[in-house]
Amino acid sequence: MTQTSKRALFAAAVLIIIGLAGGFLLFRKGPVKKAPALTAKNQGDSFTFFGLGPETKLSDALRDKLHNLLGDGSVETRTTIDLTLEGVQDFASHFQTLQELNQSLNYRSRQRVEHDTVQLTYRYARKQNVPFDRIRLVFWGDRGVPLFFSLYSKSDGADFIDTIRKKHGAPQVIGDENAAAHTLYWRKENALLIISVAPNRIGVMEYNFGIYYLDNLTALVQTEEKAREAAKKEKGKSGELAF
């Protein structure tokens, strides 16, 4: 098989993996399996990963489907949240909304702040022929909707970028796109997709992807602030009754 043919086949697989609308099929060893059947209609005009979008609800059935697609993973609850993305220069100035959300979620200076989250992490997706080395999916525990996805791929990211360009057009660029290290991003009304591109210390290209659902993140911040305010008032009432 020629190099051109190999690249064409890989590009086709990429379209299946990160096709940003409709249901998804993943070609693997053995029979073809369907990924979560979510359509563009019920996800709105947003970014999705394996059909997961801002209106997806986490369930046992969805976890089973993700296990079939991505292999073994770990589950954590009550985690911290860091919305910054590795490799992005001047993150705060370029992504002010994310920075403000991040500050609100980490309101205690230099202290650990835990949130009502369910974090699914997959580190063996390549064994399933999914070219990511780490996949982290963070959901709001109470409402079950996704907050953000953090993805890491070594070497294979360029093909994903080509696919995303075809789906969403030309990105905005931080730095020089012709340079080895740069950042690409796409904005939608309620979502943001960021890709940081940079070589590691031995020159291998690394790609960090961040998909952020801004409405869900904002709702989480507002819910937490209301809960803290209610707790503060309750504490004040207890103090008044004590003396």
Side-chain angles (χ1 to χ4, degrees):
M1 182 181 291
T2 66
Q3 190 67 24
T4 300
S5 298
K6 289 181 179 179
R7 186 174 181 81
L9 285 175
F10 186 83
V14 170
L15 282 168
I16 292 166
I17 291 171
I18 215 168
L20 301 177
F24 295 80
L25 295 176
L26 174 63
F27 289 98
R28 304 170 44 189
K29 295 179 181 179
V32 174
K33 295 186 178 183
K34 285 188 176 182
L38 300 169
T39 66
K41 181 178 180 180
N42 64 21
Q43 291 303 324
D45 183 23
S46 191
F47 304 109
T48 64
F49 177 71
F50 270 118
L52 307 179
E55 298 176 17
T56 300
K57 290 296 181 69
L58 185 62
S59 65
D60 289 340
L62 179 56
R63 289 193 195 186
D64 289 341
K65 290 179 180 179
L66 289 170
H67 178 269
N68 290 335
L69 290 164
L70 305 175
D72 293 334
S74 63
V75 181
E76 296 179 74
T77 58
R78 299 296 304 177
T79 66
T80 60
I81 291 179
D82 182 2
L83 300 180
T84 60
L85 191 67
E86 185 175 349
V88 180
Q89 294 185 352
D90 299 323
F91 183 91
S93 61
H94 288 291
F95 304 108
Q96 294 181 8
T97 298
L98 281 182
Q99 177 66 10
E100 291 171 1
L101 288 169
N102 207 38
Q103 290 176 335
S104 297
L105 291 165
N106 296 282
Y107 58 92
R108 294 176 185 157
S109 178
R110 298 182 181 180
Q111 295 185 52
R112 179 183 176 88
V113 180
E114 295 181 345
H115 305 276
D116 177 23
T117 54
V118 178
Q119 179 175 294
L120 309 179
T121 304
Y122 303 89
R123 299 182 183 275
Y124 307 104
R126 284 192 181 273
K127 293 182 179 180
Q128 305 292 101
N129 293 331
V130 180
F132 283 97
D133 301 281
R134 185 189 67 244
I135 297 170
R136 186 158 55 97
L137 312 175
V138 182
F139 292 81
W140 185 348
D142 180 51
R143 299 190 186 181
V145 295
L147 299 169
F148 67 100
F149 301 152
S150 175
L151 320 167
Y152 166 74
S153 179
K154 187 183 295 183
S155 304
D156 301 313
D159 295 279
F160 291 112
I161 292 173
D162 289 343
T163 300
I164 295 169
R165 284 179 182 274
K166 292 176 182 177
K167 292 287 182 178
H168 296 286
Q172 297 186 64
V173 183
I174 300 173
D176 183 357
E177 192 171 355
N178 295 318
H182 59 275
T183 298
L184 309 174
Y185 63 98
W186 292 257
R187 293 184 186 273
K188 289 187 176 295
E189 183 177 355
N190 67 337
L192 185 63
L193 168 59
I194 308 172
I195 305 175
S196 169
V197 182
N200 63 16
R201 64 180 181 276
I202 61 173
V204 176
M205 297 304 295
E206 295 183 325
Y207 301 81
N208 285 282
F209 297 70
I211 301 176
Y212 304 90
Y213 298 116
L214 304 180
D215 287 351
N216 295 345
L217 285 164
T218 299
L220 174 64
V221 167
Q222 293 173 345
T223 299
E224 290 185 344
E225 288 176 345
K226 288 179 180 178
R228 291 198 299 273
E229 186 64 27
K232 183 178 179 181
K233 290 181 178 179
E234 191 64 28
K235 185 177 180 180
K237 289 180 181 178
S238 298
E240 291 173 0
L241 292 173
F243 297 97

